[in-house]
C-alpha cells in the first residue's frame, strides 16, 4: 500500500521516540513457551518472487538490489519504503511458497539475524503496523521457520514473538486509523491467541478491532480511502483474526462478522472480469489469486450487488466488465493517496485489460506518485492543465502529506439502469464549475453481450451563474474556447494503431480479440505515449493512450464514442477466447 514519505512532524518524531522506548522495555518480556495450537499459513506468496529472493535478488518498493549470498540486513537501503518492506516480513510468504531447503535456509537466516540485530528494540521496524504485519507472518510460518532449529534458537524466536506482542499491546493506539491500525490489531489478536502466556492481550484487542470495524467500515462495506486494494488488505486481516478466534473455539464479535459480510459483496463488485481489482485511489490490481483466496476463506456466498460499491459503478455482461469512479473523491486524511479520478473508467475483456488508469506511482518516487494521481493519468475527460480535484504539495504547509485540499467536486450525481438490451450509467460532477463554470457529464452503455461500450461525454455550463463563470474565464485567459481531452489509457499488452484514415483506433489484445474505437463530434483523434505504473517493477511500463481533443466554444460540447469488439474474429482466435472463458468459470468464486 502507498505510504507518504517526507520530513516527519514533531508529533511523528515523538511517536517514533516512544515506540523505541516501549520496544526496548518489551524486549525484557518473559518469553512465550510455545503455541496454543498448531499454526497454519493463512496467506499465499508468489513462487517466482521467492525463487528470486533466495537467489539474492531483492526487489522491493521499485528498487532492485542484486547481492547473492548477502544478508538482506546488510544492504544499502535505497529508500525508507524499501526498508519498511524488509521489516514487514511479507517476503516470508514468497519464500514459503517455494518451500524447498534453500528457501527455508534463507528465511531462517534472515529471521534470526533480525532477532540478533533488532529484537531488543533497535531499528526502524518497531512501528505498530510493521510489528503487526511481521507477527502474522512469523506465527503463520512458524513451522517453516522452526524446522531444524536448536532449543536456544527456538527460545530466541519465542522471546522475540512475546516482545513484539507486548509492544503491540501497549502501542497499537498510535497506529494511524485505517489499514495501519487494522494491521496492528489483527497482528496482536493473531499472536495473543496463538502464543502461550500472551492471552491477556486478546480481549482488549478484540474489543478495539470491533470498534475499528464500526468506525472505519461503512454500511456498504467500504473504506473512507475508497482504495479497492486497501479494502482487500483489511478484509484479509479481518478474516485471519476471525480464524484465529475460531481456532480456539471463540466466536468472533458480531461487529467483525457484520463487517466481513458487508465487505465481501463490495469486493466482488470491484473485481474485473479477469479477477483483478480496479486500480483507483492508490490501489493496484492486487496479487493474483489473493482476492479469490480471501473470498473463499470468508465462506460468504456470492450475491448480486445493487447500486454503487464504495462509490464505484460496475457494468458487467458477456465477457466484459466496466468499473467507473462515480462518487466524490476521499477528503481529509483519507485523501493522502487519493486520485483525481472522478468519472474515470476501466474496461476488461475476459482475461485481458483493455482500458486502464495509469495506476499508483509511489514506488517510483514522489514525481511519479503525483503524476499518477492527476486526472490526465486516468481514462476520463479533463480540462487541459487542470485536474478535477487539486492536490496538496508534500512538505509545504497544509496538505504536506498530499491530501486533496480544494477545488474538488462538491457533488457527483449517478443514475443506473438495466434493460434487456444493455446496462446503463449516467453520472456528472462539478469539479470544474468553480474554475471554468463547466460540468462534466458521462454516459456509459454496455450491451448485454459485452461486445459494445457506448459513451457520451458532455462538458457544459448548466446555469446562468456557470455561464458567467465560463465567459469570465474565457475573457481573462484570452481563450478561443476551453480546451479539453478525453483520454483512454491502454494496457501495455494492447497493440493499438490508427485506422480508417485516422478516424478510428484498432486495438489488438494478446488473446487475439480486436476492439475498435470510433467517435462523432468536434474533436481530433490521436494516439499518444502513456505509462502503466505497476508496483513490483523497476520502472514504469511504456504504453499508449487514445486522446480525443476538443474545445468548448459556446458553453457546451459533446463527444460520442464507441468501443466495439470486431465481429470477424478468426476461428483460432475464437478458440483462445473460449479457453479464456473456461478459465474464468473455473476461477469464479
Amino acid at each position: 500500500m502507498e505510504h507518504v514519505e517526507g520530513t516527519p512532524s514533531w508529533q511523528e518524531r515523538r511517536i517514533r521516540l516512544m515506540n523505541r522506548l516501549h520496544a526496548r522495555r518489551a524486549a525484557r518480556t518473559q518469553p512465550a513457551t510455545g503455541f496454543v495450537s498448531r499454526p497454519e499459513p493463512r496467506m499465499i506468496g508468489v513462487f517466482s518472487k521467492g525463487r528470486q529472493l533466495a537467489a539474492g535478488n531483492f526487489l522491493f518498493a521499485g528498487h532492485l538490489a542484486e547481492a547473492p549470498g548477502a544478508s538482506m540486513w546488510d544492504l544499502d537501503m535505497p529508500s525508507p519504503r524499501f526498508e519498511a518492506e524488509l521489516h514487514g516480513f511479507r517476503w516470508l510468504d514468497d519464500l514459503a511458497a517455494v518451500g524447498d531447503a534453500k528457501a527455508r535456509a534463507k528465511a531462517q537466516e534472515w529471521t534470526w539475524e533480525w532477532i540478533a540485530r533488532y529484537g531488543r528494540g533497535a531499528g526502524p521496524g518497531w512501528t505498530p503496523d510493521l510489528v503487526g504485519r511481521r507477527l502474522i507472518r512469523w506465527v503463520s510460518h512458524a513451522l517453516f521457520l522452526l524446522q531444524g532449529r536448536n532449543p536456544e534458537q527456538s527460545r530466541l524466536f519465542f522471546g522475540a514473538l512475546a516482545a513484539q506482542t507486548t509492544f503491540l499491546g501497549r502501542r497499537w493506539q498510535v497506529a494511524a486509523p485505517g489499514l495501519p491500525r487494522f494491521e496492528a490489531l489483527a497482528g496482536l489478536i493473531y499472536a495473543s491467541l496463538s502464543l502461550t502466556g500472551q492471552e491477556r492481550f486478546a480481549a482488549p484487542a478484540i474489543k478495539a478491532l470491533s470498534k475499528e470495524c464500526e468506525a472505519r467500515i461503512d454500511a456498504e462495506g467500504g473504506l473512507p480511502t475508497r482504495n479497492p486494494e486497501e479494502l482487500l488488505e483489511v478484509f484479509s486481516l479481518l478474516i485471519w483474526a476471525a480464524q484465529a478466534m475460531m481456532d480456539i473455539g471463540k466466536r468472533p464479535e458480531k461487529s467483525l462478522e457484520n463487517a466481513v459480510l458487508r465487505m465481501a459483496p463490495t469486493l466482488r463488485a470491484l473485481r474485473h472480469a479477469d479477477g483483478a481489482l480496479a486500480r483507483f485511489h492508490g490501489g493496484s490490481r492486487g496479487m493474483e489469486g489473493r482476492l479469490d483466496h480471501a473470498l473463499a476463506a470468508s465462506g460468504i456466498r456470492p450475491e448480486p450487488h445493487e447500486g454503487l460499491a464504495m462509490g464505484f459503478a460496475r457494468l458487467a455482461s458477456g465477457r466484459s466488465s466496466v468499473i467507473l469512479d462515480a462518487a466524490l473523491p476521499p477528503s481529509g486524511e483519507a485523501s493522502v493517496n487519493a486520485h483525481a479520478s472522478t468519472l474515470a473508467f476501466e474496461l476488461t475483456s475476459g482475461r485481458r485489460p483493455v482500458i486502464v488508469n495509469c495506476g499508483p506511482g509511489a514506488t517510483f518516487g514522489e514525481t511519479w506518485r503525483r503524476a499518477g494521481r492527476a486526472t490526465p493519468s486516468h481514462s476520463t475527460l479533463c480540462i487541459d492543465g487542470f485536474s478535477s480535484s487539486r492536490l496538496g504539495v508534500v512538505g509545504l504547509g497544509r496538505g504536506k502529506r498530499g491530501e486533496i485540499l480544494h477545488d474538488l467536486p462538491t457533488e457527483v450525481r449517478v443514475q443506473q439502469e438495466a434493460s434487456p438490451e444493455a446496462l446503463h450509467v449516467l453520472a456528472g460532477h462539478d469539479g470544474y464549475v468553480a474554475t471554468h463554470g463547466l460540468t462534466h457529464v458521462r454516459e456509459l452503455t454496455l450491451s448485454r453481450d459485452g461486445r459494445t461500450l457506448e459513451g457520451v461525454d458532455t462538458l457544459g455550463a448548466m446555469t446562468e451563474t456557470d455561464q458567467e463563470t465560463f465567459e469570465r474565464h474565457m475573457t481573462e485567459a484570452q481563450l478561443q474556447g476551453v480546451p479539453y481531452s478525453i483520454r483512454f489509457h491502454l494496457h501495455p499488452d494492447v497493440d493499438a494503431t490508427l485506422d480508417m484514415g485516422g478516424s478510428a483506433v484498432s486495438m489488438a489484445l494478446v488473446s487475439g480479440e480486436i476492439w475498435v474505437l470510433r467517435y462523432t463530434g468536434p474533436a481530433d483523434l490521436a494516439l499518444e505515449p502513456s505509462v502503466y505504473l505497476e508496483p513490483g517493477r523497476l520502472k514504469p511500463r511504456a504504453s499508449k493512450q487514445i486522446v480525443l481533443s476538443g474545445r468548448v466554444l459556446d458553453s457546451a460540447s459533446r463527444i460520442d464514442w464507441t468501443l466495439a469488439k470486431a465481429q470477424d474474429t478468426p476461428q483460432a482466435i475464437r478458440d483462445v477466447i473460449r479457453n479464456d472463458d473456461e478459465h474464468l468459470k473455473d476461477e469464479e468464486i
Side-chain angles (χ1 to χ4, degrees), residues 277-457:
L277 290 167
R279 296 170 11 119
F280 287 94
H281 299 298
S284 191
R285 289 167 54 84
M287 188 179 73
E288 185 175 357
R290 174 80 178 277
L291 177 54
D292 287 345
H293 182 77
L295 289 171
S298 74
I300 300 172
R301 296 175 62 86
E303 294 181 0
H305 189 284
E306 301 294 335
L308 300 182
M310 205 165 68
F312 296 94
R314 185 175 193 263
L315 308 177
S317 194
R319 305 179 68 253
S320 301
S321 63
V322 175
I323 297 179
L324 172 78
D325 186 350
L328 293 173
S331 58
E333 292 183 354
S335 70
V336 168
N337 293 313
H339 290 196
S341 57
T342 311
L343 301 196
F345 80 97
E346 293 187 317
L347 164 67
T348 296
S349 177
R351 297 170 62 82
R352 309 297 173 183
V354 185
I355 307 298
V356 297
N357 297 311
C358 290
T363 56
F364 307 111
E366 182 58 28
T367 299
W368 279 114
R369 176 177 175 269
R370 288 187 62 82
R373 300 175 70 192
T375 302
S377 296
H378 299 82
S379 294
T380 187
L381 178 149
C382 65
I383 291 178
D384 291 0
F386 289 82
S387 283
S388 57
S389 301
R390 257 60 82 199
L391 311 177
V393 178
V394 173
L396 296 180
R398 287 182 66 240
K400 69 178 183 178
R401 294 176 64 82
E403 295 96 330
I404 292 179
L405 289 178
H406 56 86
D407 292 339
L408 66 159
T410 60
E411 185 178 27
V412 178
R413 295 188 177 185
V414 188
Q415 294 180 356
Q416 289 182 271
E417 297 177 357
S419 70
E421 295 78 27
L423 303 172
H424 180 79
V425 60
L426 174 66
H429 78 84
D430 60 358
Y432 297 115
V433 168
T435 56
H436 297 79
L438 297 172
T439 295
H440 175 209
V441 178
R442 166 163 276 182
E443 187 174 2
L444 299 178
T445 303
L446 180 67
S447 62
R448 282 292 185 178
D449 61 7
R451 299 181 66 89
T452 303
L453 177 65
E454 297 178 351
V456 180
D457 281 296

Side-chain angles (χ1 to χ4, degrees), residues 477-494:
Q478 298 181 340
L479 292 174
Q480 296 297 317
V482 174
Y484 67 90
S485 301
I486 305 171
R487 300 177 183 273
F488 304 84
H489 292 273
L490 305 178
H491 189 272
D493 292 339
V494 176

Side-chain angles (χ1 to χ4, degrees), residues 64-75:
L64 174 64
E66 297 179 283
S71 168
M72 64 166 55
W73 311 116
D74 289 330
L75 299 174

Side-chain angles (χ1 to χ4, degrees), residues 271-277 279 285 288 317-323 345-356 450 489-495 507-515 532 541 563 565 572-573 575-584 587:
R271 180 175 62 176
H272 274 296
D274 63 345
L277 290 167
R279 296 170 11 119
R285 289 167 54 84
E288 185 175 357
S317 194
R319 305 179 68 253
S320 301
S321 63
V322 175
I323 297 179
F345 80 97
E346 293 187 317
L347 164 67
T348 296
S349 177
R351 297 170 62 82
R352 309 297 173 183
V354 185
I355 307 298
V356 297
H489 292 273
L490 305 178
H491 189 272
D493 292 339
V494 176
D495 185 14
M507 292 158 279
L509 312 189
V510 174
S511 64
E513 291 182 21
I514 304 294
W515 286 76
Y532 188 75
R541 296 177 67 185
L563 280 162
K565 191 184 301 184
I573 294 175
D575 291 341
V576 172
I577 294 172
R578 184 170 61 252
N579 290 335
D580 273 357
D581 282 337
E582 291 173 356
H583 282 299
L584 288 171
E587 295 174 4

Side-chain angles (χ1 to χ4, degrees), residues 86-124:
L86 295 189
H87 283 269
F89 273 73
R90 191 172 281 160
W91 45 265
L92 263 182
D93 301 340
D94 302 326
L95 288 176
V98 177
D100 61 14
K102 182 177 180 180
R104 180 182 292 108
K106 289 296 183 183
Q108 292 173 336
E109 174 188 341
W110 295 333
T111 299
W112 268 267
E113 281 188 11
W114 188 94
I115 294 171
R117 297 188 189 204
Y118 309 113
R120 302 194 64 80

